[in-house]
């Protein structure tokens, strides 16, 4: 099984058509079909079902599609690292959407201290970055708790509370802090990452919240709040994106999150990653 075959396979899956995939790959259809047959023969499974509209993945195809993404990402990252040997070094680091702005001062300081280092930044949610770290696609990642840390080493960078963010039409001016009891009758939009943490805090106080929306990105939660449909609850560092909105810190002490650096336990890190972890502010 060759990397090029996996790239061809994924392009067919993405387009749903061998002819369309061939056009995107700037090749003719017969050699692409041949490569697909070779891959299916080697794996001894059928990867696609042919339909009148094109092709769809079989169960085996779905599994290969899921696994091949990480393989190709790893191969690309390794190729870049090898090609830079003797030139510039590369710091491969993962960053979540809600930590990118928090991390920029650290990146700036490190870039100034180590001008021979380039950055390869992978954006993603905490759990995807955790898997990328264990698979060696990245060397270090910035994540948020709660998170299991069994297979990694960690270093806490910052602890911050959750905030409730609303349009001024939904919640008028009031105190700088707010309790969950004050939000019980307010429509809420929750970032799925913290759904359990927040709902457990409500339930421990025998409160029944009105959960209007659950979403997978704190930036999406912000859009609902800005539209005046609900109050969003997410980490405090997102408040820099909340101009014109009502921001109140939650009083409940358990509603906090840690921003942490993690790296795979027992792995010998590249020099650039070690130097980043050794930086003084950490």
């Amino acid at each position: 099984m060759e990397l090029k075959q996996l790239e061809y396979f994924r392009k067919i899956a993405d387009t749903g058509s061998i002819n369309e995939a061939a056009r995107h790959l700037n090749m003719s259809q017969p050699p692409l079909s041949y490569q697909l047959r070779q891959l299916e023969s080697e794996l001894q499974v059928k990867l696609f079902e042919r339909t009148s509209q094109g092709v769809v993945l079989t169960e085996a195809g779905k599994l290969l599609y899921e696994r091949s993404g990480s393989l190709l990402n790893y191969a690309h990252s390794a190729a870049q690292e090898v090609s830079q040997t003797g030139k510039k070094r590369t710091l491969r680091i993962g960053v979540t959407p809600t930590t990118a702005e928090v991390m920029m001062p650290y990146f700036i300081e490190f870039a100034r201290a180590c001008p021979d280092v380039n950055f390869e930044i992978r954006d993603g949610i905490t759990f995807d970055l955790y898997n990328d770290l264990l698979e060696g696609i990245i060397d270090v990642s910035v994540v948020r708790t709660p998170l299991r840390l069994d297979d990694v080493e960690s270093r806490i960078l910052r602890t911050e509370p959750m905030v409730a963010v609303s349009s001024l039409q939904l919640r008028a001016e009031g105190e700088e802090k707010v309790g969950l009891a004050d939000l019980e009758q307010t429509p809420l939009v929750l970032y799925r990452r913290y759904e359990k943490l927040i709902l457990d805090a409500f339930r421990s106080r025998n409160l029944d919240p009105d959960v209007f929306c659950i979403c997978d990105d704190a930036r999406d939660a912000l859009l609902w709040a800005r539209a005046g449909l609900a109050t969003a609850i997410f980490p405090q560092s997102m408040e820099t994106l909340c101009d014109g909105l009502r921001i109140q810190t939650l009083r409940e002490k358990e509603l906090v999150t840690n921003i942490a650096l993690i790296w795979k336990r027992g792995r010998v890190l590249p020099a650039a990653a070690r130097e980043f972890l050794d930086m003084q502010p950490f």
Side-chain angles (χ1 to χ4, degrees):
M1 183 168 59
E2 299 177 3
L3 293 176
K4 185 63 69 176
Q5 288 177 319
L6 292 178
E7 291 175 350
Y8 292 163
F9 158 75
R10 289 179 65 85
K11 183 58 70 174
I12 294 171
D14 290 339
T15 60
S17 164
I18 295 177
N19 287 332
E20 186 67 13
R23 188 178 70 81
H24 281 272
L25 292 165
N26 295 315
M27 61 191 298
S28 60
Q29 182 268 332
L32 182 57
S33 296
Y34 173 78
Q35 290 293 337
L36 177 58
R37 289 196 300 272
Q38 289 291 100
L39 182 59
E40 289 181 322
S41 175
E42 181 179 347
L43 297 175
Q44 298 183 348
V45 294
K46 197 173 184 180
L47 298 173
F48 292 99
E49 294 286 355
R50 276 67 173 176
T51 72
S52 58
Q53 285 77 37
V55 294
V56 294
L57 290 167
T58 63
E59 288 304 311
K62 291 176 183 177
L63 179 59
L64 181 61
Y65 187 88
E66 179 183 339
R67 299 294 174 82
S68 60
S70 294
L71 287 172
L72 290 171
N73 283 334
Y74 182 79
H76 174 72
S77 183
Q80 280 195 321
E81 188 173 358
V82 171
S83 68
Q84 292 296 324
T85 302
K87 305 173 187 176
K88 281 203 168 188
R89 298 178 294 157
T90 300
L91 173 63
R92 304 182 305 169
I93 187 166
V95 179
T96 68
T98 63
T99 60
E101 189 168 350
V102 173
M103 291 305 299
M104 277 311 300
Y106 298 108
F107 292 153
I108 291 170
E109 180 171 346
F110 185 69
R112 288 171 176 165
C114 302
D116 65 322
V117 174
N118 287 333
F119 291 81
E120 183 180 327
I121 306 293
R122 181 169 292 273
D123 296 300
I125 63 174
T126 286
F127 298 111
D128 288 344
L129 294 175
Y130 188 91
N131 290 332
D132 288 344
L133 187 78
L134 296 186
E135 293 174 7
I137 296 171
I138 53 179
D139 303 314
V140 182
S141 187
V142 187
V143 296
R144 282 187 181 272
T145 61
L147 178 72
R148 288 185 61 182
L149 301 173
D150 300 346
D151 299 314
V152 298
E153 303 288 347
S154 63
R155 185 174 300 164
I156 302 299
L157 299 182
R158 174 172 167 178
T159 299
E160 61 183 47
M162 298 283 187
V163 295
V165 178
S166 316
S167 70
L168 297 180
Q169 292 78 17
L170 187 63
R171 289 183 62 80
E173 291 292 332
E175 296 182 7
E176 291 185 1
K177 293 189 176 184
V178 65
L180 293 182
D182 302 315
L183 299 176
E184 186 179 18
Q185 303 303 318
T186 302
L188 300 176
V189 53
L190 304 182
Y191 175 22
R192 195 185 307 275
R193 177 78 175 82
Y194 300 103
E195 177 186 2
K196 184 178 186 304
L197 177 69
I198 294 167
L199 292 183
D200 283 350
F202 271 106
R203 289 166 185 150
S204 70
R205 292 164 174 80
N206 295 315
L207 299 174
D208 184 21
D210 176 9
V211 180
F212 178 75
C213 177
I214 303 288
C215 61
D216 289 315
D217 193 313
R219 293 167 298 186
D220 294 337
L222 180 59
L223 294 176
W224 290 91
R226 201 172 285 284
L229 294 171
T231 291
I233 298 178
F234 44 60
Q236 187 181 50
S237 55
M238 285 288 293
E239 68 181 17
T240 57
L241 304 177
C242 298
D243 290 344
L245 296 175
R246 178 84 176 102
I247 304 170
Q248 295 172 289
T249 303
L250 290 175
R251 292 193 182 98
E252 285 70 21
K253 293 183 178 180
E254 71 267 37
L255 292 182
V256 299
T257 176
N258 292 321
I259 299 176
L261 284 173
I262 62 171
W263 59 100
K264 187 176 181 180
R265 179 169 290 143
R267 183 188 172 196
V268 178
L269 292 173
R274 293 197 305 271
E275 290 170 23
F276 183 73
L277 291 171
D278 289 341
M279 199 165 60
Q280 283 304 311
F282 300 155

